[in-house]
């Protein structure tokens, strides 16, 4: 029997488990429709289940060893925590998790053996990933995309992305420009910007991705 958490905290825990790495609040918002903030964050930090660090203007979260153990135990529960969820999908999800947990125990595996184990991309492959992400995000040939969207798509360390973008920009392979309408910029846009030549750039275009 686990120390049952609230629905939002439980959803955050399982999301961090599945991703198996550091996850910034903007990515949580994009993937599951909420961020881990306020009492929900501090309580998970206080219990030792989640380690949170403020990077720039946003928090980045990752499961601790205790958090992984909690998720493994929670997967054995066959019903969601109270209060009773309005969606029947939540109850069905717990049956799926229970079945998955039983299979892992049978195979002598832990959740960490399954989730978040994909190989880290080699730095030299990052240019290719940037080009693929650009093609998936752009709406028209040689169109502009926001660096905030690119970074979320890549999920790569900011310093590595910055290094590749600066190299590609210097070689004339990509174009980086500031957003003209500064009032339209969000805190996430400012954080995702890359500074080149004393100017913050927020948009990216690639002529031949």
């Amino acid at each position: 029997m686990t120390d049952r958490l609230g629905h939002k905290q439980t959803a955050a825990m399982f999301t961090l488990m599945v991703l198996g790495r550091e996850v910034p609040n903007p990515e949580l918002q994009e993937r599951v429709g909420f961020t881990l903030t306020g009492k929900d964050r501090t309580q998970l930090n206080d219990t030792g289940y989640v380690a949170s660090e403020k990077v720039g203007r946003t928090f980045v979260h990752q499961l601790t060893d205790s958090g992984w153990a909690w998720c493994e135990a929670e997967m054995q529960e066959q019903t969601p925590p109270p209060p009773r969820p309005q969606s029947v999908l939540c109850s069905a999800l717990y049956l799926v998790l229970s079945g998955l947990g039983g299979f892992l125990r049978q195979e002598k595996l832990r959740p960490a053996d399954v989730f978040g184990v994909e190989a880290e991309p080699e730095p030299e492959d990052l240019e290719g990933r940037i080009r693929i992400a650009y093609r998936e995000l752009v709406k028209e040939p040689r169109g502009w995309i926001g660096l905030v969207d690119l970074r979320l798509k890549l999920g790569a360390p900011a310093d590595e992305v910055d290094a590749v973008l600066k190299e590609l920009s210097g070689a004339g392979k990509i174009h980086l420009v500031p957003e003209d309408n500064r009032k339209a910029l969000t805190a996430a846009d400012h954080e995702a910007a890359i500074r080149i030549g004393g100017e913050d750039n927020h948009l990216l275009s690639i002529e031949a991705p």
Side-chain angles (χ1 to χ4, degrees):
M1 188 77 175
T2 60
D3 176 20
R4 307 306 294 272
L5 301 173
H7 288 197
K8 183 178 178 181
Q9 290 177 326
T10 300
M13 292 287 289
F14 281 141
T15 300
L16 294 176
M17 177 189 74
V18 171
L19 295 178
R21 54 174 170 78
E22 291 185 336
V23 184
N25 266 335
E27 184 176 356
L28 280 177
Q29 180 66 46
E30 181 185 42
R31 288 179 175 271
V32 292
F34 64 82
T35 57
L36 188 54
T37 57
K39 289 184 178 180
D40 287 320
R41 175 186 65 79
T42 56
Q43 287 175 359
L44 290 180
N45 293 158
D46 291 343
T47 58
Y49 293 154
V50 174
S52 301
E53 178 184 6
K54 195 165 189 180
V55 179
R57 296 181 178 87
T58 190
F59 276 99
V60 176
H61 316 283
Q62 188 170 24
L63 283 185
T64 63
D65 289 343
S66 295
W68 280 98
W70 181 92
C71 287
E72 184 175 9
E74 182 71 10
M75 289 172 66
Q76 299 179 40
E77 301 285 350
Q78 295 188 0
T79 57
R84 184 175 180 178
Q86 295 181 353
S87 173
V88 295
L89 182 61
C90 188
S91 299
L93 171 63
Y94 261 80
L95 289 178
V96 173
L97 289 173
S98 178
L100 175 60
F103 172 79
L104 294 180
R105 292 192 300 275
Q106 176 181 316
E107 298 298 318
K108 295 181 173 55
L109 294 173
R110 311 294 296 274
D113 297 322
V114 178
F115 300 112
V117 296
E118 58 266 20
E120 289 291 330
E122 295 295 328
E124 58 266 27
D125 293 335
L126 194 50
E127 177 182 347
R129 292 180 57 207
I130 289 172
R131 292 181 179 276
I132 292 172
Y134 175 82
R135 287 198 299 269
E136 293 176 349
L137 290 168
V138 75
K139 300 185 184 307
E140 58 185 24
R142 298 183 297 279
W144 296 95
I145 66 168
L147 288 182
V148 63
D149 298 319
L150 176 71
R151 293 184 189 276
L152 285 173
K153 191 82 170 174
L154 293 172
D159 57 343
E160 292 182 12
V161 176
D162 287 352
V164 175
L165 290 178
K166 288 179 179 179
E167 180 181 350
L168 294 174
S169 177
K173 295 181 178 180
I174 66 172
H175 304 289
L176 294 165
V177 299
E179 169 60 61
D180 290 334
N181 183 8
R182 295 304 178 97
K183 292 183 179 180
L185 294 173
T186 65
D189 289 315
H190 286 295
E191 184 179 351
I194 183 169
R195 194 164 185 83
I196 298 178
E199 188 172 43
D200 285 340
N201 297 275
H202 313 92
L203 303 173
L204 164 73
S205 175
I206 304 179
E207 290 191 9

